[in-house]
Amino acid sequence: TSLVLDILSWLRLLNDYHDNTAAYRVCNFSSWRLPPEDLTKILHLARKKAWSVFFTLKRQALLELQPDTRQKIERLLGLAGKHLGLMSSATARKMTQLFLEESGYLKNIIAREKTEPVKYSRDILYLNKFIETLTEFEKNRAEKNVKNYLAELDYVLESGEEGSLSGLVNEGPEAIKIMTVHSAKGLEFKYVFIANLV
């Protein structure tokens, strides 16, 4: 889900500010979505100078950007700087909670309750499940920080897992579930369609 990917992108950016994929996704968060034309200028300068996207954001004075964009970048950098200072002492779950609250991301999710109730319910479900995985990680690890959480997540993904959040398949709302045959092993559904079987 995009919500979980957004949280992971923030954590990955804090863990390694040279991660351009994470930085690009962070720039597009609804909390401070940068205008496409300004983001293009940032990306162009980053490529031209062989800088990371995050480093280029810090050099925004070199670019002609809208005043509103500059304010958004300052807010993004300010929050990133604050959270970077907590990385060594705070747990991965605490860092996630701080991000959700201080970035305005959680506020945006809650705002959907009246306008997009289905999307709101789904996002809350995924968010709760993701927090559960962080809690489970903390129970079994001495080092509970973001760096170790991401390292373990990468090991899991490299082993062939898809990083899915268990327990969501059978929870509502009722919908079509798409998964691999391997992932469906042991689950029961009323109807099953196997596509592209050769």
Side-chain angles (χ1 to χ4, degrees):
T1 174
S2 62
L3 181 149
V4 174
L5 290 174
D6 283 351
I7 295 171
L8 288 174
S9 293
W10 181 256
L11 297 179
R12 288 188 186 282
L13 181 61
L14 294 178
N15 188 55
D16 176 13
Y17 64 82
H18 293 297
D19 189 330
N20 287 335
T21 303
Y24 179 78
R25 190 174 186 100
V26 166
C27 287
N28 283 291
F29 284 178
S30 56
S31 305
W32 46 60
R33 184 173 287 122
L34 303 185
E37 58 273 19
D38 285 345
L39 186 52
T40 300
K41 292 176 183 177
I42 292 165
L43 296 175
H44 177 73
L45 182 62
R47 278 194 302 271
K48 182 179 176 182
K49 297 284 190 179
W51 292 342
S52 70
V53 172
F54 188 75
F55 185 83
T56 309
L57 289 173
K58 291 185 170 186
R59 303 294 180 277
Q60 61 164 305
L62 299 173
L63 294 164
E64 291 183 15
L65 304 175
Q66 300 173 38
D68 186 47
T69 301
R70 294 193 188 282
Q71 291 175 3
K72 290 177 180 178
I73 291 173
E74 288 301 329
R75 186 164 165 257
L76 188 164
L77 293 175
L79 187 62
K82 178 182 176 183
H83 286 192
L84 279 167
L86 300 169
M87 282 282 285
S88 59
S89 59
T91 65
R93 184 177 59 168
K94 181 62 177 176
M95 293 302 299
T96 298
Q97 290 171 337
L98 286 173
F99 161 70
L100 289 169
E101 292 166 10
E102 296 179 359
S103 67
Y105 199 101
L106 185 59
K107 186 178 178 181
N108 288 338
I109 293 174
I110 293 170
R112 297 187 194 124
E113 185 176 9
K114 292 181 180 177
T115 57
E116 300 175 276
V118 174
K119 186 168 175 48
Y120 165 79
S121 298
R122 189 189 66 212
D123 284 349
I124 291 298
L125 181 65
Y126 275 111
L127 182 56
N128 287 337
K129 279 295 179 185
F130 182 68
I131 296 297
E132 282 178 27
T133 65
L134 291 172
T135 304
E136 194 62 32
F137 165 77
E138 290 182 11
K139 282 181 187 175
N140 304 311
R141 301 294 178 276
E143 295 290 330
K144 311 173 193 300
N145 57 34
V146 169
K147 183 176 182 178
N148 286 315
Y149 172 72
L150 293 175
E152 180 162 315
L153 178 63
D154 288 338
Y155 289 142
V156 169
L157 295 174
E158 285 173 15
S159 72
E161 288 288 332
E162 295 178 350
S164 59
L165 298 175
S166 61
L168 290 173
V169 172
N170 295 317
E171 297 186 35
E174 191 61 31
I176 295 171
K177 280 77 173 180
I178 300 175
M179 61 183 68
T180 63
V181 173
H182 179 76
S183 298
K185 181 175 57 180
L187 302 176
E188 292 185 16
F189 298 99
K190 191 171 181 180
Y191 301 104
V192 175
F193 299 90
I194 303 178
N196 211 21
L197 184 63
V198 179

